[in-house]
Amino acid sequence: PAESTPPQERELKMDLRWHLHHVTNTIARAFGLRTPANESQIWLFHAAPGSSCEEPLNDRNPQGEQTTTLKELHRTCSYLASAQGGRRPAPLTLHAVELPFPPGREVFNQGLSPLCVRFFDAAVREVGSRIITVPNNGTVQDIINESQQHLQPQWGISGPLRVLEVSEGRLHRHYRPDAQVLSLACFNRSNIFYNCLRVEADPDSNLPEGHTLLEIYHCDRQSQQAFAQPILLAVAPGEKSGSIKNRCKMKLQVPDAEFKSWRLVRCARTNRTHLKDDEAWDSETASDAKLYLEHVHPNPTSSSRQSRYNKPLTIKA
């Protein structure tokens, strides 16, 4: 397994005629990375791999790494307006990630799958991450067994573990221990840092009779888009909205001043209902009803803001 370390940033001068293997070897030397057999174990990305679904620029294709030049990568970057008019390429920024295994198909050809496991505590905060390998023909229980070996006492994670996949702020799937590794959505994906697994303690392995393990996700008030990590909460039949909100507040450790503007919303088909504190969460009988916490995104992206090119056009006669 491999641990994550804080990122480092350096400015390096390179020749645009260099091929990618020259680039990765130069990066390895500049940062003092060990490179067995003079081959750097580095993936290159245009953006931070943990927050972008971009595939590695130099993955799984040794021939491509030998023929692709730095100039070709520079052409794919965004352009900036120059003072003299026209456009010029923006400075080339690369995100380099050292791998605990050789890039390419070697690890896959050995019947193993590299996975990025992110550990979350009871307050749904990421406290650590590891890169592990499990057999392709293995099960989620193999992932749990491997993950348990890397738990740190300071993380506060104990007891049974559960494995989740989250996509675009929504729960994709809560996997049973006997689920096949082949069934994971992240299986065989190149960017394992983005297509990763969420591992956390499972306090709901034995639900009380009649209770439901419910996903409650975060939704931006303005864009109505899901974001962040959803909550899994065991709720009782007929439990009031106020009780669920208070449990969410305690679980997430949100201050009163901030949480007072949050709303619990039930979404069923095309209908959205802001639940009152004395209203039961399951008063709507629709089978596809979902609950989410509606509040302002703490770090809105530029795409959520209205572009000046999309503003209404006014024509005066």
Side-chain angles (χ1 to χ4, degrees):
E3 301 182 19
S4 299
T5 57
Q8 302 177 41
E9 184 175 335
R10 294 187 186 178
E11 185 174 326
L12 304 176
K13 291 185 178 181
M14 299 185 184
D15 193 318
L16 290 177
R17 295 170 295 181
W18 283 3
H19 294 102
L20 293 189
H21 67 280
H22 295 135
V23 175
T24 53
N25 286 333
T26 300
I27 292 173
R29 289 193 298 269
F31 287 89
L33 306 180
R34 296 180 179 179
T35 55
N38 296 322
E39 290 294 332
S40 59
Q41 300 183 167
I42 292 176
W43 270 343
L44 298 176
F45 299 85
H46 281 308
S51 57
S52 169
C53 60
E54 175 192 18
E55 295 298 306
L57 301 172
N58 58 326
D59 176 46
R60 300 193 186 185
N61 187 3
Q63 295 301 321
E65 187 165 322
Q66 297 291 332
T67 59
T68 304
T69 65
L70 201 57
K71 185 176 183 178
E72 293 175 49
L73 292 188
H74 204 196
R75 288 172 180 167
T76 64
C77 295
S78 59
Y79 281 75
L80 299 176
S82 64
Q84 293 77 25
R87 299 188 306 166
R88 59 182 176 82
L92 179 60
T93 300
L94 292 176
H95 293 255
V97 182
E98 184 185 17
L99 303 173
F101 53 86
R105 295 296 308 180
E106 289 82 356
V107 67
F108 299 94
N109 293 337
Q110 295 174 13
L112 299 174
S113 290
L115 300 171
C116 180
V117 174
R118 301 187 183 275
F119 296 92
F120 284 75
D121 65 7
V124 200
R125 299 172 299 196
E126 184 179 346
V127 292
S129 62
R130 296 290 187 273
I131 296 175
I132 63 174
T133 54
V134 294
N136 290 339
N137 59 356
T139 65
V140 170
Q141 186 62 54
D142 295 319
I143 298 174
I144 293 175
N145 294 342
E146 184 70 21
S147 299
Q148 285 176 329
Q149 299 180 31
H150 308 295
L151 294 177
Q152 302 298 313
Q154 63 269 26
W155 294 350
I157 302 175
S158 60
L161 299 179
R162 61 188 176 198
V163 176
L164 316 172
E165 274 193 287
V166 175
S167 176
E168 303 294 335
R170 295 295 309 277
L171 177 66
H172 172 71
R173 191 171 173 186
H174 176 192
Y175 289 99
R176 294 171 53 90
D178 58 355
Q180 296 294 311
V181 171
L182 293 170
S183 69
L184 300 176
C186 63
F187 176 75
N188 212 25
R189 295 290 186 92
S190 296
N191 187 351
I192 60 175
F193 307 103
Y194 181 81
N195 302 288
C196 56
L197 296 174
R198 169 173 151 184
V199 173
E200 62 190 16
D202 185 7
D204 309 302
S205 54
N206 295 308
L207 285 176
E209 185 177 356
H211 281 55
T212 302
L213 187 61
L214 201 64
E215 174 202 8
I216 303 177
Y217 61 96
H218 299 267
C219 184
D220 179 48
R221 180 161 296 157
Q222 181 177 359
S223 66
Q224 290 297 304
Q225 293 181 343
F227 67 94
Q229 291 286 332
I231 309 167
L232 287 185
L233 205 64
V235 296
E239 186 171 352
K240 302 300 182 183
S241 168
S243 170
I244 295 176
K245 284 177 60 180
N246 187 57
R247 292 170 59 200
C248 290
K249 171 181 166 298
M250 295 178 63
K251 182 176 181 66
L252 297 175
Q253 301 179 15
V254 182
D256 292 340
E258 179 182 348
F259 194 78
K260 66 181 182 181
S261 64
W262 292 27
R263 300 289 181 266
L264 185 64
V265 182
R266 181 177 58 221
C267 179
R269 299 185 180 91
T270 58
N271 298 323
R272 293 191 306 118
T273 305
H274 288 76
L275 297 177
K276 298 179 180 179
D277 286 351
D278 60 351
E279 188 174 354
W281 72 272
D282 53 356
S283 57
E284 171 67 50
T285 57
S287 59
D288 62 343
K290 306 292 183 184
L291 293 185
Y292 63 82
L293 291 166
E294 184 184 77
H295 57 102
V296 177
H297 195 307
N299 298 298
T301 59
S302 57
S303 60
S304 64
R305 301 188 182 98
Q306 186 181 35
S307 168
R308 65 187 181 92
Y309 297 106
N310 295 328
K311 290 183 177 179
L313 177 64
T314 301
I315 302 177
K316 294 182 179 181

